[in-house]
Amino acid sequence: MIHVFKLFRRLPIGQTRAIGASVILGTTELYLQGGRIINSKTNKPEYLIIASYCDRSESISRYGERWYIENIFKDMKSNGFQLECTHVTKIERLNTLMGILAIAYVWMIKIGIWIKKMKPERFVKKKHGRPAKSIFRGGLDEFINALFTMDPIRVRRYVKFLSCT
């Protein structure tokens, strides 16, 4: 028996390691892959350890793919659209709302990409190298600002993004 973090404690920050064979965790056979990273909020080192049923060579890449989905959930819930505040529970209404939010999400991403290209200073990087604001958040902030200032040129431009013309 060993604490899992001890398998990765000597790794330099940013480097990953896959454990050579499957391990038994409780009664489950798993593959482990992990490393040390810098926590973006505390700026302190911490462990990123992935236990997976799939082959160890795919664990980190699959986790990376899932991370995009986690960010979309965050944007839908707490970082932008506040989905949970709607209290919608009827499946038909929820389906409609999710469709509308999917369109709005892509719309804000398109605006965010355009803003990042035109005004890159709005996406300054923090000490850890990642931007302080996501593309989605940048697009949403820009769109909200355009609506509140009633700037007809900006509003027209962003509606045009939605129509793809």
Side-chain angles (χ1 to χ4, degrees):
M1 301 244 321
I2 186 171
H3 290 281
V4 175
F5 79 90
K6 289 182 179 181
L7 298 169
F8 306 101
R9 69 177 171 201
R10 290 200 172 93
L11 285 175
I13 301 283
Q15 187 177 352
T16 62
R17 174 179 171 220
I19 303 305
S22 63
V23 297
I24 304 297
L25 194 60
T27 59
T28 307
E29 184 178 9
L30 297 167
Y31 294 97
L32 293 177
Q33 190 170 8
R36 294 176 61 222
I37 60 171
I38 298 292
N39 182 311
S40 61
K41 292 181 180 169
T42 64
N43 211 26
K44 294 181 180 177
E46 63 181 37
Y47 295 96
L48 171 64
I49 300 170
I50 298 170
S52 170
Y53 296 113
C54 65
D55 185 298
R56 65 186 185 275
S57 64
E58 299 176 16
S59 299
I60 293 281
S61 63
R62 285 191 178 193
Y63 183 79
E65 291 168 8
R66 177 155 171 72
W67 191 247
Y68 287 108
I69 296 167
E70 294 293 334
N71 283 317
I72 292 170
F73 283 138
K74 180 181 175 190
D75 293 337
M76 291 288 183
K77 292 167 74 176
S78 61
N79 193 38
F81 289 149
Q82 305 298 326
L83 176 62
E84 292 172 331
C85 293
T86 65
H87 303 291
V88 174
T89 56
K90 291 187 177 180
I91 193 70
E92 303 84 23
R93 291 180 180 178
L94 192 57
N95 283 339
T96 301
L97 180 60
M98 291 305 293
I100 292 167
L101 287 179
I103 292 168
Y105 187 80
V106 172
W107 190 14
M108 295 307 111
I109 294 288
K110 285 185 67 131
I111 293 170
I113 289 169
W114 186 82
I115 289 297
K116 186 173 183 179
K117 184 175 152 187
M118 300 308 289
K119 301 175 184 177
E121 67 278 1
R122 291 196 186 178
F123 292 89
V124 295
K125 291 188 177 184
K126 289 188 165 188
K127 289 180 185 176
H128 50 62
R130 290 189 295 270
K133 205 181 264 194
S134 69
I135 297 289
F136 165 79
R137 190 70 224 189
L140 182 61
D141 288 349
E142 173 64 21
F143 184 70
I144 289 170
N145 185 271
L147 288 177
F148 280 125
T149 59
M150 293 304 291
D151 183 338
I153 295 169
R154 287 166 56 205
V155 170
R156 197 172 312 119
R157 178 186 303 134
Y158 302 143
V159 170
K160 195 173 183 180
F161 279 172
L162 181 62
S163 68
C164 299
T165 59

